[in-house]
Amino acid sequence: MNIRLLAKRNIQGNAQHYLAYFFSIVLSVSIFFIYTSFIFHPDVLHANIPGGQLISRGLIAAEIVIIIFSVFFIAYSNAAFIQPRKKEFGLLTLLGTSKSQLRKLIYLEQTIVSLISILIGVGLGLLFSKLFLMAVSCVEQPISFVFVPEAFVYTIVGFILLFQLLSLLSLFHIGNAEVVDLLKDKQKPKKTPFVSKWLIALSAVCLCISYYLAATMSLNNSYIRVMPILFFVLIGTYFLFSQSIVALCSRLYRKKKSLYGGTNLITQTNLIFNIKDYSRLFFLTSIITAVILTAAGTLFMFSADLKKQGIDNIPQSIGWVENDASIYSVIEPSAVEKTLKEDGFKILYEVNMTGVPISHMLPHMRTGESNENWSLLISESDYNNAAALRKIDPAKLSGEEALYIFPYGGLDYEFVQKGEQKELQYGKQTIQVTMIGQRNQSIVAPIKSATTLMVVDDQLYHEITNDVPLKDKVRVRGYEVKDWEESMETAAKIEKMSNNPEHNQLQTRAPIYQEMKQGSILILFIGLFVGLLFFIVQGSMMYLRVFTNLEDKKIQIHALHRLGLTKKEIRKILSAEIRILLFAPFLIGMIHAIIAYVALSNLLGSNLFVYSAMVIGTYFLFQLLIIK
């Protein structure tokens, strides 16, 4: 019998061990191929698809994540396959198999499985890429199905190189092992796990730091906090399972009263001696759980909260700014009203206010250095009238007080401080005001000179602008309509009618909202595949762990049965171990995800409790289905 035939029969004999691994790799290759086909699609490369480049960047990020997790999963799986077969390798060595032949046998097995996985994965990817393009076409204009040579090259060559590299690395351990070590690997007694108080403390400190950084994260500091949060979470989670959980199990083991109740003695003994072996599995699956919950929750919350974000950031359905308040050069309000009426849209309210552009000094967000900025000076009554229409609390000013309005609620940077003295410049006039604070809520279209507002008392406003001619003032108009989400065609008509060659003086909410909605649907579609992949990878790792210990577990069950334990009691012991295997990582991953949801709520300025509960609940049901 030659090595190739032996490798083939070994694969057939260990089909159950390879099943979950094979299915996970096929899915990884398929998704990678589908995404690569879209990235290198001619319509995407030549920018024939609206938003195609943005989607491509998202897919590239998803592919990087797939590769990273494939590395971890394949490395873990290779180790899981080799560990229970050491006795088999020892017997082959006794029968005359050289170390080079043994390495070749393992290498051939892994290569055959990987090549079959890649070929089937590419085939399924080619089949389902048509469905992917159809799903994308439903959102925007049709995308033709074409063969993309780059997708075949990158997928096949990339995964072959990945498999080959990881297969070669896995040979070092088995190749250097002695025959006695291989034969007696399973007979080695397990030592009581070592616990370090310092590492337990390190775990607690890292997790506390990461949770604090995430819970207090805001939009202006998020870009510098993401990497530290990931670093501390990974370190804290690893030592939580390898040290803290071991210490907790040891403490429970010393409680004799509960230890001797029912089958607890066997369950806790198994747990305390296996927990060290499970720590790496728990670490990986808890991180995967956290990634799935966080990614799914973020995508779902963003999509569900999209309408609110559109209303918050774009105050009126249609809004524009006239640089000369004495005339309407961008578009006539009567033309806007007529178009809305003809298309059957009811006007809920309109905004019409004037102001004067003023300059003042504001600190730069990153450097803190003062820079000249322009804002539109408006009266308190105009602000309160518009604020009332948007159900925003009115401003209360007197004398020489002023309120700074920044349009974007997600940014919590304080450009002005309460009680700060500020000089406002209009032409040759210098007006000294006392700031009562800052609000991050837009009331009119945040475009051109009306991007930021400076609100002052009515009397002070009239004193400043009394001699200013209307042509030197700025006029801001806006219309809010009912069912604005359906006004895409109407918005296009109004934009076409307007005199807005640079597209920076008129703003319509529906097109921006629909574009964001289309993008979120595609991102959800992408995230669904990646989340499904991670979920299957997690299940595969647990499947491999169960089959790795299957022979030992059979021996233990037989011994327990001979000692007099009933089938019901043995089933109870096994069920307890499986519950711990599944729900310990889920619990920690859920906590990580909840902290991430808190950070996301702070960034979006919304209460996302209901959405997060729905995501976690759905995932929990999937976990229950696995147990059943």
Side-chain angles (χ1 to χ4, degrees), residues 434-545:
T434 302
M435 304 304 301
I436 67 166
Q438 170 184 322
R439 286 187 181 180
N440 291 3
Q441 293 174 307
S442 56
I443 59 164
V444 292
I447 49 180
K448 296 292 284 186
S449 55
T451 301
T452 61
L453 308 175
M454 188 69 72
V455 186
V456 295
D457 177 70
D458 285 5
Q459 184 178 347
L460 178 60
Y461 176 78
H462 290 304
E463 289 176 4
I464 298 170
T465 62
N466 193 38
D467 297 329
V468 179
L470 197 59
K471 66 182 183 64
D472 291 335
K473 291 183 179 181
V474 172
R475 186 179 299 277
V476 185
R477 292 299 303 256
Y479 289 92
E480 180 66 4
V481 300
K482 188 178 181 180
D483 300 324
W484 57 267
E485 307 96 310
E486 310 300 327
S487 63
M488 281 282 291
E489 294 182 5
T490 304
K493 290 179 185 177
I494 292 172
E495 289 182 359
K496 190 174 181 180
M497 291 162 48
S498 67
N499 179 26
N500 184 29
E502 296 181 4
H503 304 285
N504 61 355
Q505 285 188 258
L506 184 139
Q507 186 182 66
T508 52
R509 187 193 293 152
I512 298 173
Y513 168 75
Q514 291 296 340
E515 185 177 347
M516 292 177 67
K517 185 178 178 181
Q518 292 164 5
S520 68
I521 291 172
L522 288 171
I523 292 171
L524 276 172
F525 195 66
I526 295 166
L528 176 66
F529 278 101
V530 177
L532 178 63
L533 172 63
F534 286 174
F535 185 77
I536 291 174
V537 165
Q538 181 189 24
S540 299
M541 293 172 74
M542 293 180 177
Y543 179 89
L544 289 171
R545 169 55 65 182

Side-chain angles (χ1 to χ4, degrees), residues 111-213:
T111 301
I112 291 170
V113 173
S114 64
L115 288 176
I116 295 173
S117 302
I118 291 170
L119 291 176
I120 294 177
V122 169
L124 290 175
L126 182 63
L127 178 65
F128 287 103
S129 60
K130 174 65 174 177
L131 297 177
F132 181 82
L133 293 176
M134 288 173 62
V136 175
S137 300
C138 292
V139 178
E140 196 53 62
Q141 65 191 49
I143 304 174
S144 59
F145 174 76
V146 295
F147 285 93
V148 183
E150 293 90 343
F152 289 91
V153 174
Y154 279 100
T155 305
I156 294 174
V157 174
F159 273 93
I160 286 177
L161 291 175
L162 178 64
F163 276 110
Q164 294 299 298
L165 177 62
L166 294 174
S167 296
L168 291 172
L169 290 175
S170 68
L171 299 180
F172 283 100
H173 178 69
I174 191 67
N176 295 325
E178 298 295 332
V179 178
V180 176
D181 295 330
L182 292 172
L183 291 172
K184 294 186 176 182
D185 183 72
K186 288 190 175 182
Q187 298 175 15
K188 294 177 181 178
K190 292 184 178 180
K191 298 178 181 179
T192 304
F194 170 76
V195 175
S196 169
K197 293 181 179 179
W198 293 107
L199 292 178
I200 294 173
L202 177 63
S203 169
V205 169
C206 287
L207 290 177
C208 287
I209 291 174
S210 64
Y211 290 167
Y212 172 78
L213 291 175

